[in-house]
Every structure is written in C-alpha cells, then in structure tokens.
Amino acid sequence: MEDIFKPIECNDDDVVEIGDNIYKIRRIKSGTSQSSNQNLSNQLQQGLNNQKIQFPSCDYFSHKGIDCKILTLGSQNWKNGKIKFKLSVEFYIEEDVEINNSQDLDVAEVESSLDELRRRLQEES
C-alpha cells in the first residue's frame, strides 16, 4: 500500500488538534524536549547497557553531545568528534484524491456563498 502521508515543515505558531485538544507546535516541541529528556536518557542508557554498549552516564539528548573518536572507512587516522542523539517531532499530512475533491467543494461553497451575498446586496440596493 502506498504511503498517503507526506512530511511538512511547521512553524512554532502553527497549531495541531489531537483528540479534543489543540496545541501550538512550540508547546509540543518544548514539552517534548523539557519533560522527556531525563526519562529518555535513562531508558536509552538502560537499553544500551542491555546490548552491552557502554556509554558514560549523561544526558544523551544534551546539545553538547558525548566526546568520542571516529575511524571512518578508508581513513588512516581517528578523528575527534561528538556523538549526539536527537529526538524530533515530525508532522505529516494526508494526501488523497478525496481531500483534493473536498477542497474543490470548499471553493464551490465559497463561490456559492459569495453569489448569495451579492444577490442580497443587490436586493437591498
């Protein structure tokens, strides 16, 4: 089945409705980064430990990152760097023929409403 959703870029002042609640994008991003970082860091640490991967205890989602060295394929030397983990919030909209048809209907409804308004204005004149 073809994926009918496509990713979109959102501004901080855009809003999203989830169930009966409406939130600004800024609030979702802020809430995700502030309230979850420590819990997610702890869960990531535990998950890595379970896989026998040992990282120093830290806030994995810190902007500072974790000091490391990397040896890339074909390179002769190790390079100093940082490893960073990022949590992202992405938004997708549904693309469907029915949506395009409903948009056409909306335009028709607006035109019909404008025609009705014009008729009323002419009657009053």
Side-chain angles (χ1 to χ4, degrees):
M1 183 175 160
E2 191 176 318
D3 191 6
I4 60 171
F5 293 92
K6 71 173 189 173
I8 61 168
E9 292 294 322
C10 294
N11 296 316
D12 284 348
D13 288 325
D14 289 344
V15 294
V16 62
E17 178 182 359
I18 302 172
D20 292 334
N21 300 303
I22 297 175
Y23 305 102
K24 281 191 174 184
I25 300 301
R26 173 186 305 114
R27 184 169 177 204
I28 292 174
K29 288 179 179 179
S30 174
T32 301
S33 66
Q34 290 178 9
S35 66
S36 300
N37 280 359
Q38 193 57 46
N39 289 337
L40 289 173
S41 287
N42 291 339
Q43 289 178 0
L44 182 57
Q45 177 78 45
Q46 183 178 353
L48 290 170
N49 289 342
N50 291 342
Q51 298 297 316
K52 308 290 188 240
I53 300 171
Q54 300 297 313
F55 280 5
S57 292
C58 63
D59 179 2
Y60 286 96
F61 298 98
S62 164
H63 295 288
K64 298 177 196 174
I66 303 168
D67 290 330
C68 68
K69 292 184 180 185
I70 186 168
L71 181 62
T72 58
L73 286 175
S75 176
Q76 298 294 318
N77 300 311
W78 289 88
K79 294 181 182 177
N80 292 326
K82 301 245 182 208
I83 186 168
K84 295 182 180 185
F85 296 87
K86 290 185 177 183
L87 175 64
S88 66
V89 177
E90 298 176 342
F91 297 91
Y92 294 80
I93 59 170
E94 185 174 13
E95 281 193 324
D96 193 5
V97 174
E98 292 177 9
I99 291 174
N100 291 333
N101 289 341
S102 71
Q103 288 173 346
D104 292 341
L105 290 176
D106 291 341
V107 170
E109 289 174 17
V110 168
E111 288 175 358
S112 176
S113 297
L114 287 174
D115 290 340
E116 177 66 21
L117 183 59
R118 288 182 190 117
R119 186 185 61 75
R120 285 184 183 176
L121 288 172
Q122 285 178 351
E123 288 176 358
E124 292 177 9
S125 298

